[in-house]
Amino acid sequence: MSYNYGGPQPPYPPQGQQYPPPPQQQQYRYQQQPYPPPQNQGPPPVPYGSHPGSQYPPQQGQYPPQGQYPPPPQQQHSPYPPQQAPYGQPPPPQQHSPYPPQQAPYGQPPPQGYPPAGQAHGPPTPASPGYDPSHQAHVDTSRDAEGLRQAMKGLGTNENQLTQILARVPDPVIMANLRQTFNQRFRRDLLNDIASETSSYYKEGLEALVRGPLQQDVHNLNDAIKGLGTKENVLDDVLLARSNADIRAIKQEYQKVTRRSLESDVKADLSLKTERLFTMALAAQRQEDSAPVLPQQVDHAVSELHRSMEGRVGTDQVTVCQIFTSHSDGQLRAISHAFQRKYHKSLVSVVRSQFSGHMQEALLRILTAAEDRAMSDAVRLEETMKGAGTKDRMLVNRLVRAHWDKSHLNQVKGAYRHAFNKDLAARVRGETSSHYQKLMLALIE
């Protein structure tokens, strides 16, 4: 079963009204009723910092258990964006709108004048957890470091203990703390020990967890670029539909690790058409999530997209790429709905008809993530498992990446059930085995 992105979409507000704010303020919904929670998920996960059967009290400074994380930013000053409601549920009411007042009509300069060229409107979207090196976890991870060492020293490896400890580390910042504690305490390298004590996709899953999302992105990019041919799906996963802050962090870490420019490496490995698209994405100049969605600008973008794809002989690919890579998710979502309303066909279907190959896949990645990121990620997880054989490496990377944001993962699980009428955990269970299976299920459940 496949999910049709080009099907009918819910109506958008009439012209002349302000479009909905970006996803963190208002959740885009495929249906009005919330999704029911998945059934038969088994016992709840063991809270981070505790061990089955242990009665010791949590150590001072220990991270809160799963489901009991610190309250949202309005109660506690957190550097991370607020969590979203479960997939399909309406957003909480906003007390204070973060958006600027309505701007001047299209074509007239705003009262404060235009911003410098290339500058995105609004406060910048914060980097995702694990992408800001200034974030540090002030927690004691020594007990889990001891547990990891015990699981790998001597004859044999206790894979169950490795899975239990690493799968429940709640965020990349604490994982970095645990990795540093292990390396300093035992004068060893956690990644090297895992590589020597485990194998196959189970090993790759553990390594992805220990690296954290930023280093794993860089590892995957380097692997995709340096080998024979370029693994386009890796470039799409890592570099498209990302915030400006995340792109800048990835470029900086890639330069630090490889001593090479990511822009130069990507440009050298792609064809001219897709190279332009990724060059625009790597410029990290898209509108921030806080930027307003103005109907006049939406109408202009819709007309330009139609002119560039269906209103001429041939396709103006540069214009399409520029529109897709310069707008925020909220703006692209508004553009997609306005296009459907004006031309009675979905923007997704037009992209499919006008483009092919990697360019089509890349543009659809950007567009579907803007329309509904949880559904887009759910479909991409299904793509790793459908057909003959499982694309295990792709499954590992996409599932570990989703796992770092539990709120988003819950939305992905709801979207997966909505699209494919089955639980994501059950689907993964049927496609994996042994300790690899246990690790993937621990990340989901």
Side-chain angles (χ1 to χ4, degrees), residues 6 27 57 63 87 105 116 141 151 181 183 202 208 226 239 294 306 338 344 374 411 424:
Q27 177 65 36
Y63 204 79
Y87 188 80
T141 55
T181 299
N183 293 352
Y202 176 61
K226 72 179 182 180
L239 299 178
L294 302 178
H306 181 262
H344 308 290
Q411 296 182 57
L424 177 59

Side-chain angles (χ1 to χ4, degrees), residues 119-130:
Q119 176 178 319
H121 293 277
T125 304
S128 301

Side-chain angles (χ1 to χ4, degrees), residues 305-312 314 339 343 345 350 353-354:
L305 286 172
H306 181 262
R307 179 194 63 79
S308 300
M309 292 188 288
E310 294 190 308
R312 51 173 285 163
F339 191 98
Y343 298 109
K345 60 180 70 174
V350 174
S353 68
Q354 296 293 318

